Every structure is written in structure tokens, then in C-alpha cells.
């Protein structure tokens, strides 16, 4: 039983602009202060403004973005007025001023008396046709949390739009590579290759469905751990932070109120129903009579996905884990990270590190190289 585990490096290897910095570059091009509409989400989204203004302080991987979401959540959760029993405030920003980040959130808010009708979300935008000022009224701390989260969901939907229209739409259904499984043990009677993708894109299925270099026809059975891009308004993409503690008796500075749990990727997997296909895949791997062979391609093995990776990699005691790297520096990084996920003993028993482009043992083989072998 073969299971491909894909991360963003898989898309990058195929030349797709799926880094978060690619999306921010696209967002920056949408800004036109002289012609914007007060309802244009590319202009009004606070997370876009925040990321654009602190981008130089971050790395360029998705783990950097997710860590930044955590840092913002932690900062907002510690604001003194958030724990007030009468937290009625307005948030106001001048759209002519492009400088904004959430660490200055309190500077943009003012305490007010109650009395506005804020609705179920506990916040409301008023003067929404004002072309200069963006003003939000919060009815209690729940309003601030909901606003912060709804803005993040809007950011996620805009990224969904970007992937569909700017990344996948021009993608040709032909790859420069051959996805090569024959040399690493595809079961002769197995017509299915399971894919656990941590990407939002369906790149693997678009390029390689029934195009594997094997001695049997292959059908890709994909599971999208963080959701899949779609044209529906009901975007189920998971974008959030690693799990954090709601109570830590020895370090109060790390405690974050349970109301912020909506930002956890773990919570969102359940909320947007991406966890059940993953659970079904777990059961198949556990019950299979063949040896599960994991092929990890393009995943950084970073901390935000440690729990879900540990579950699947250790669910069958007989599994083999092939981790593919694109250079020696990446190999060293991946060796350290897989140790922290499953432990050194399991790594010694199960894990093999393979150059992903090696013509004998690799998995993404250049078609040009294959012609010369």
C-alpha cells in the first residue's frame, strides 16, 4: 500500500507560485487607493495589511505565516481591555494610511459606551460607504475575536481565489517529471495510490492520475488534510496556527483563552470537515495486509503538522517511510524534524532518505534524464 504525503515543496518543484509571499505579492498589486471600493476585500482585509507591513520580518515558508498568526492571537489575547466585563470599543483606521499591524491594535481602538446593535457576531461595521475611514464597533471581547477570525477566513477565501485563477487555471496537464513508483515497491495488484496532501491544490491528480511509471494502471485517491480549493462559496481551506495551551500553571504568559481555539488548525479540521477522510485513511492503513510505504515529498515536517503526521506514520507498526529531499541541506533539516515527530528508534527502524531526483531510487525524475538513462 503506497501513500504519498505531499507538502508545498511538491507544488514548488512543479513551478507553481504557491508560497504565501507569492500571494502577498499578488495582493499588493490589487491596491489602488485612488480607485478602491469600500467593499473590496483585498483592500479592507486587516490580515493582508498586517502581513504586507511585517513581511520583511518573517521567513518565506507557510510555517512562518502560521507562527505569525499564533503571535498575533497571543498578543491580542493579552490586551488588558479584552478581559474587561464591559469591553465596548470601536476600531478605526484611515485607509489612506497603509501602515497597520495587529501589534498596534489597541492604538486603533477607543472605549465607548454600549448601545449599538452588533448582531450575532458581536461586531458591526458602520459608515461602510465612507471612502476614508473603516470603523468597526465591538460589543464585548467576543466581537473582537470574531472580527479577527472572520478577517482570517476572508484572507483564506482570497487565497482560494488566487490559487484557482492565478495558479491552477494556467497549469498545463503535462509535467516535466515522471512520478516514479515502480522501483520503490508498488504492489503489483494495487490499482490505487493514496495521497495525503497538506496542499490546497490538486496538482498531483491533475498531472499524474494514471500516468505513473509502473506496471499497473494507477488511480490517485487524494485526501486533503487542509481542504481543497473549490469554486464554491463554502471554502473549507484550513489556515490557522498550531495547537496552544489554554491553561499552564507554571507559565501564565503562554495561556490563551479557550475562545481563541477557533484559530487552531486542529479545531478547523473538524469545523470544515477535512478530518473524516483522514480518519478513513488511517483505518485503511491500520487494516491493510500489505506493508504501508509512505513517500513524503515536499513537506517540511514542521511543528504545526506534527500531531497529524505522527498519527499516520505510526498507525501501522510495519510501515516503511521514504523521505525525499531536493538537496543536502534539506536532508539534514528533515532528519532532525522526523526525529522530533516519531523518535530516533522509529527513525532507525523505518525511515529512508532518498534524493527525489535520483534516477534509480527517486520519485520525481526529469523526463529528459530518463531519456538519457
Amino acid at each position: 500500500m503506497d501513500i504519498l504525503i505531499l507538502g508545498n515543496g511538491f507544488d514548488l518543484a512543479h513551478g507553481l507560485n504557491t508560497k504565501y509571499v507569492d500571494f502577498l505579492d499578488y495582493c499588493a498589486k490589487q491596491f489602488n487607493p485612488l480607485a478602491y471600493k469600500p467593499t473590496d476585500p483585498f483592500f479592507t482585509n486587516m490580515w493582508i495589511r498586517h502581513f504586507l507591513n511585517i513581511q520583511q520580518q518573517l521567513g518565506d515558508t507557510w510555517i512562518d505565516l502560521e507562527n505569525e498568526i499564533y503571535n498575533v492571537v497571543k498578543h491580542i489575547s493579552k490586551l488588558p481591555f479584552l478581559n474587561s466585563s464591559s469591553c465596548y470599543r470601536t476600531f478605526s483606521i484611515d485607509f489612506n494610511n497603509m501602515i497597520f499591524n495587529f501589534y498596534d491594535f489597541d492604538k486603533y481602538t477607543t472605549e465607548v459606551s454600549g448601545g449599538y446593535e452588533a448582531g450575532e457576531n458581536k461586531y458591526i461595521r458602520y459608515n461602510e460607504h465612507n471612502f476614508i475611514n473603516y470603523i468597526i464597533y465591538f460589543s464585548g471581547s467576543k466581537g473582537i475575536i470574531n472580527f479577527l477570525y472572520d478577517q482570517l477566513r476572508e484572507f483564506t477565501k482570497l487565497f482560494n481565489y488566487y490559487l484557482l485563477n492565478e495558479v491552477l487555471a494556467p497549469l498545463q496537464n503535462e509535467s516535466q517529471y515522471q512520478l516514479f513508483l515502480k522501483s520503490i515497491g508498488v504492489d503489483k495488484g494495487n490499482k490505487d495510490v493514496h495521497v495525503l496532501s497538506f496542499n490546497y491544490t490538486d496538482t498531483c491528480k491533475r498531472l499524474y492520475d494514471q500516468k505513473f511509471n509502473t506496471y499497473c494502471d494507477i488511480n490517485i485517491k487524494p485526501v486533503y488534510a487542509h481542504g481543497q480549493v473549490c469554486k464554491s462559496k463554502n471554502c473549507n481551506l484550513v489556515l490557522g496556527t498550531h495547537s496552544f495551551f489554554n491553561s499552564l500553571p507554571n507559565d501564565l504568559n503562554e495561556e490563551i483563552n479557550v475562545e481563541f481555539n477557533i484559530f487552531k488548525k486542529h479545531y478547523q479540521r473538524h469545523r470544515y470537515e477535512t478530518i473524516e477522510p483522514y480518519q478513513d485513511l488511517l483505518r485503511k492503513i491500520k487494516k491493510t495486509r500489505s506493508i504501508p510505504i509512505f513517500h513524503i515529498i515536499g513537506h517540511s515536517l514542521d511543528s504545526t503538522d506534527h500531531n497529524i503526521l505522527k498519527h499516520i506514520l505510526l498507525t501501522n507498526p510495519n510501515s516503511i517511510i521514504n523521505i525525499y529531499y531536493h538537496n543536502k541541506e534539506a536532508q539534514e533539516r528533515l532528519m532532525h524534524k522526523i526525529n522530533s515527530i516519531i523518535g530516533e528508534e522509529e527513525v532507525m527502524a523505518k525511515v529512508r532518505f532518498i534524493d527525489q531526483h535520483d534516477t534509480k531510487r527517486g520519485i520525481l525524475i526529469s523526463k529528459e534524464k530518463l531519456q538519457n538513462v
Side-chain angles (χ1 to χ4, degrees), residues 19-30:
K19 289 185 176 181
Y20 86 87
V21 292
D22 295 323
F23 176 54
L24 289 185
D25 288 344
Y26 175 78
C27 290
K29 294 174 183 176
Q30 310 308 307

Side-chain angles (χ1 to χ4, degrees), residues 273-287:
E273 299 179 350
T274 68
I275 196 68
E276 290 184 17
Y278 167 77
Q279 293 168 339
D280 292 339
L281 179 59
L282 276 181
R283 282 187 282 271
K284 290 177 184 176
I285 296 170
K286 191 171 185 177
K287 293 178 180 179

Side-chain angles (χ1 to χ4, degrees), residues 20-21 24 54-65:
Y20 86 87
V21 292
L24 289 185
I54 63 141
Q55 186 176 344
Q56 298 302 317
Q57 303 168 34
L58 303 179
D60 62 356
T61 68
W62 277 102
I63 188 71
D64 297 307
L65 186 85

